[in-house]
Amino acid sequence: MRPAMAHPVSQGAMDIIVRTDRIDLRAIVSLEEVLVATNLAGNKNKAGLEALRGHGDYLLDHLHISANGQPIVGHVLEIPQQPTGQLTYRLEYRLADVATKRIEFRQDVLREFMFAPGNPWEASYIVRI
């Protein structure tokens, strides 16, 4: 038998609704993602709801959305109320009052943290738009 080779991946899901005036994003993340981001960012003293609140801001910093080539600023509308089960975050990104021709979504969640030398953490999401 040969050993399986893998790298650390946190898996989640996103529902993205593009409206004429805003983008509504619902992210379902794993507790592992919250713990890795909180602890490796030097916030080991944060726990429970405080860690969940902080992860909402972390998501805003690592989910990159642009419209017509211009970055859009997001806001956290809702965070999970307990650190168990499905951890769901609701984010909103307001669009300018101009016709949007192109919207781009990127993410780099957990990429700044190394699991092992040369092997960063990463998060993947099943996305429904």
Side-chain angles (χ1 to χ4, degrees):
M1 291 183 95
R2 301 179 90 189
M5 303 300 276
H7 52 87
V9 176
S10 174
Q11 296 178 325
M14 287 187 196
D15 284 325
I16 300 170
I17 300 172
V18 179
R19 303 183 188 280
T20 56
D21 63 337
R22 70 185 185 278
I23 296 170
D24 295 324
L25 188 147
R26 184 174 70 112
I28 299 170
V29 305
S30 67
L31 181 57
E32 175 186 45
E33 178 181 312
V34 174
L35 294 174
V36 168
T38 300
N39 289 323
L40 295 182
N43 298 314
K44 292 179 182 181
N45 296 332
K46 286 187 178 181
L49 286 178
E50 187 179 8
L52 295 177
R53 271 192 297 278
H55 196 67
D57 293 333
Y58 177 85
L59 287 172
L60 287 176
D61 290 341
H62 293 275
L63 300 177
H64 310 285
I65 300 177
S66 62
N68 298 332
Q70 298 299 310
I72 304 171
V73 176
H75 303 281
V76 177
L77 297 179
E78 188 177 308
I79 65 166
Q81 296 305 303
Q82 57 187 4
T84 59
Q86 284 190 332
L87 302 179
T88 302
Y89 290 83
R90 284 188 48 238
L91 309 175
E92 177 183 80
Y93 296 81
R94 287 280 172 187
L95 295 171
D97 292 332
V98 296
T100 303
K101 296 181 182 188
R102 179 182 170 94
I103 296 175
E104 183 178 321
F105 300 91
R106 294 182 304 106
Q107 64 89 8
D108 57 5
V109 174
L110 303 181
R111 297 292 296 168
E112 73 269 35
F113 305 120
M114 288 293 140
F115 178 75
N119 189 15
W121 278 90
E122 61 183 73
S124 65
Y125 301 91
I126 296 172
V127 178
R128 180 173 60 177
I129 298 177

